[in-house]
Amino acid sequence: MTTTTENNILPLVTDEQKQAEETWRKSIPAQVFLNYFFAINYHIQENDDATGGLQNLPFFRAHEAELTEVDIQAIGKLLQACWSTEYALRATAELGDEEYLRNALHWTFPQAYHTILSGLQAFLYTAGVRSNNPSLIRREVGRLVVRNAYPRPVSFYAAGAYGDFSIHRLPLAGYKPGLHIAGKEIEAQAQIGQFLRTTRKMKAQLTRQQVQANPNTAIRSQKTGKVLDKWTASHWQQITWRLGYTTIFDLLGRLRISQTSREIERYVEAEIDFKLFHQSLLNIVSYLNGIHESYIAKAMGLERYQQLVRELPKHLQNNFVVERLHTRIEPLLTGQEPQQPMGIAA
């Protein structure tokens, strides 16, 4: 008699393994997003120097502005919005265990974006651009990036028409990015390059939709006069001017995810390193805010900027704002050695 043992054979893939595989698959978009921001932070850390490189930029050395007291007050309000939002972002990091930071993405994503936006608006104010229009702000900062107003770690950008994008100031951006956290500069640049291309592609597709939805701007068939559904390379080239340049600020714009959308839930439900994600965002925020603060201090004069900082609300005193003033801005503008940090991440 033959005895069957089929019922006792263990499956090659268990239910737990299947679940783990499914979780990993669903986590890929969030992991890629984390990779992108970690790569930006990695690139900044690898290419930064003690003062962010601003002292080497002719654009920075030439930056000046005639500001009235009314102007300074307006800049001060923008800076307070910038700093208060960064304060809230940092408070989340101090509170957070992994689970808290996971659910905090609902507000930390937009906080990271808005703190940088407010600081950028304050900087643009000193450059004569005084607007709340997002398209205008995006266009002007794109021009500034291309004109080398920003130090090397964040001066990269993408240009060109759909299907023919070019990446600038990232010499290693053409390499194929992996699905892992960057451990080398080549991996970081490859991931940033991909982030620039995918972001510019999204912008191009959205611009096409807007152009074709408007009867006055839609590209039409020369034969029938009907709005074209299919585009050639020449059609894409016709809207390239509308795209401007794609810079780090467009990448940060990807953080503007509605807390009611399905998109944010994909990140909250993923299995990724949320502490690392949060720390990467904080470092990028601090770096860019420090650049804008340096420009503002130079434009209004260091003494007036120091006074503005002294007059801040209580919750903004003796923290990261003062830290960046002592360790980055004052040494940059006076040429003196930076003061010893107070133990606050700058």
Side-chain angles (χ1 to χ4, degrees):
M1 184 176 67
T2 303
T3 303
T4 178
T5 59
E6 290 180 358
N7 293 335
N8 297 325
I9 296 175
L10 294 175
L12 293 176
V13 180
T14 66
D15 289 341
E16 290 79 4
Q17 288 172 321
K18 289 181 180 179
Q19 181 63 39
E21 176 73 16
E22 180 68 10
T23 300
W24 178 82
R25 186 184 63 78
K26 289 182 177 180
S27 296
I28 289 177
Q31 183 64 51
V32 170
F33 212 51
L34 165 58
N35 291 351
Y36 287 158
F37 285 98
F38 180 86
I40 293 171
N41 179 46
Y42 184 97
H43 183 64
I44 289 172
Q45 302 302 324
E46 287 292 302
N47 294 277
D48 189 22
D49 62 22
T51 54
L54 282 173
Q55 78 284 358
N56 300 318
L57 300 181
F59 191 97
F60 178 78
R61 293 198 296 268
H63 185 65
E64 55 185 27
E66 293 185 6
L67 301 173
T68 66
E69 189 60 31
V70 172
D71 292 330
I72 291 174
Q73 293 297 323
I75 292 169
K77 288 183 179 179
L78 288 168
L79 283 175
Q80 282 203 34
C82 166
W83 292 331
S84 291
T85 309
E86 183 177 348
Y87 177 88
L89 187 65
R90 288 173 176 270
T92 298
E94 292 173 2
L95 288 171
D97 58 14
E98 186 84 8
E99 192 62 26
Y100 180 79
L101 291 177
R102 174 195 298 268
N103 290 285
L105 292 183
H106 285 286
W107 61 85
T108 55
F109 273 8
Q111 281 175 344
Y113 170 75
H114 284 292
T115 178
I116 290 172
L117 177 63
S118 296
L120 171 60
Q121 286 182 278
F123 162 44
L124 290 177
Y125 195 107
T126 68
V129 180
R130 302 168 185 182
S131 173
N132 292 320
N133 185 297
S135 297
L136 176 62
I137 292 171
R138 179 182 170 276
R139 184 176 71 243
E140 291 301 322
V141 74
R143 290 172 178 172
L144 288 172
V145 169
V146 174
R147 291 172 61 192
N148 284 306
Y150 287 85
R152 182 178 57 190
V154 289
S155 68
F156 52 79
Y157 65 96
Y162 183 92
D164 190 28
F165 297 151
S166 57
I167 307 297
H168 300 260
R169 300 175 188 160
L170 279 177
L172 305 176
Y175 287 88
K176 184 177 180 180
L179 272 178
H180 302 287
I181 292 290
K184 298 179 181 178
E185 178 65 7
I186 185 174
E187 296 165 353
Q189 289 196 30
Q191 290 178 0
I192 297 171
Q194 184 184 52
F195 200 10
L196 285 167
R197 282 186 287 268
T198 57
T199 301
R200 189 166 180 83
K201 180 180 179 180
M202 290 171 61
K203 175 63 176 176
Q205 292 171 335
L206 177 61
T207 301
R208 171 184 164 167
Q209 290 176 5
Q210 294 170 339
V211 167
Q212 295 302 84
N214 185 338
N216 297 321
T217 60
I219 298 176
R220 301 173 181 272
S221 168
Q222 293 182 349
K223 293 182 179 180
T224 66
K226 293 183 178 180
V227 175
L228 285 176
D229 292 326
K230 296 181 179 180
W231 277 22
T232 65
S234 64
H235 295 132
W236 284 109
Q237 288 171 358
Q238 290 180 48
I239 67 164
T240 300
W241 67 272
R242 297 175 181 268
L243 304 182
Y245 300 103
T246 302
T247 70
I248 187 173
F249 297 98
D250 296 284
L251 305 186
L252 291 162
R254 296 280 296 273
L255 294 169
R256 290 178 300 169
I257 299 173
S258 169
Q259 67 182 59
T260 61
S261 74
R262 294 181 180 178
E263 190 72 14
I264 192 67
E265 294 303 327
R266 288 205 305 171
Y267 300 116
V268 172
E269 294 172 2
E271 292 300 327
I272 60 173
D273 189 338
F274 289 96
K275 286 189 175 182
L276 183 62
F277 204 151
H278 203 78
Q279 190 58 52
S280 298
L281 284 179
L282 270 179
N283 290 344
I284 296 167
V285 162
S286 182
Y287 184 76
L288 287 172
N289 283 353
I291 291 171
H292 295 146
E293 291 158 17
S294 298
Y295 269 107
I296 293 163
K298 189 173 189 301
M300 69 170 57
L302 180 57
E303 289 187 6
R304 186 64 183 87
Y305 183 84
Q306 290 168 328
Q307 179 186 343
L308 186 151
V309 171
R310 286 195 298 269
E311 295 171 351
L312 285 173
K314 186 175 181 180
H315 73 282
L316 291 175
Q317 294 178 3
N318 300 317
N319 61 11
F320 60 91
V321 178
V322 178
E323 183 78 6
R324 286 200 293 260
L325 171 61
H326 291 332
T327 61
R328 296 179 62 173
I329 299 170
E330 290 173 344
L332 179 64
L333 299 182
T334 64
Q336 298 176 356
E337 289 294 319
Q339 294 185 22
Q340 290 295 318
M342 300 177 295
I344 303 171

